[in-house]
Amino acid sequence: MIEGIEEAFNQFITSSFVTKLLLFISAFFAPVWELYILLMFLVIVDYLIDLGVWMLKEWKSKRCWEITQPFVIKVIMYSILVITVNAVQQHLIKEAFDFFKLIIAIPITAQLIEIVGTVERTTGIALVDKVKDYLSNWIGNKESKKED
């Protein structure tokens, strides 16, 4: 057992800087990995839909970078958001309440509405209002159950 730990420690010491950095980042993201992956998945889906619409309709009027730049900015900013909110949750709030889920729910919902809005603009089906109605009804039902 001690030999295994010693071997793992030696491998870590002799590994490259990038490997060490990735290990520390993954250890920091471990508690929030599920929501971070969901957020990045929604950002990627939104980008792919925007790219598809651009290739079908807007390739003459817009450059590809105009579609890609917001995607890159979102990935960077959302990653910074996840890191900082997770740090505040772990080191300041601890387990008093789940601050991280509360904050990360906002960009996840925004990305979902953005995807629905793009689909609505492309297909002409009014989805955004229906999604907003469903969300407000769902939240209203949750609040009325708490009051009972």
Side-chain angles (χ1 to χ4, degrees), residues 59-89:
W59 63 275
K60 291 181 181 178
S61 61
K62 286 185 177 178
R63 294 185 351 225
C64 184
W65 180 245
E66 293 177 37
I67 304 298
T68 306
Q69 183 182 15
F71 166 72
V72 172
I73 291 171
K74 283 180 187 178
V75 168
I76 292 168
M77 290 299 165
Y78 286 159
S79 296
I80 291 170
L81 177 73
V82 166
I83 290 169
T84 55
V85 172
N86 184 37
V88 169
Q89 175 75 44

Side-chain angles (χ1 to χ4, degrees), residues 8 11-13 15-30 33:
Q11 286 179 354
F12 177 76
I13 295 297
S15 64
S16 70
F17 175 73
V18 174
T19 305
K20 291 175 189 173
L21 184 63
L22 289 175
L23 181 66
F24 284 123
I25 289 172
S26 66
F28 189 74
F29 274 124
W33 205 242

Side-chain angles (χ1 to χ4, degrees), residues 26-41:
S26 66
F28 189 74
F29 274 124
V32 297
W33 205 242
E34 182 181 3
L35 290 177
Y36 180 68
I37 288 175
L38 174 63
L39 182 59
M40 288 300 116
F41 172 76

Side-chain angles (χ1 to χ4, degrees), residues 57 118-127:
K57 296 181 178 181
T118 304
V119 170
E120 181 181 278
R121 283 189 306 277
T122 305
T123 63
I125 301 171
L127 295 172

Side-chain angles (χ1 to χ4, degrees), residues 92-109:
L92 182 64
I93 299 173
K94 303 207 187 258
E95 282 130 24
F97 66 97
D98 207 349
F99 180 70
F100 179 80
K101 284 184 180 178
L102 177 71
I103 297 297
I104 298 303
I106 296 168
I108 288 173
T109 306

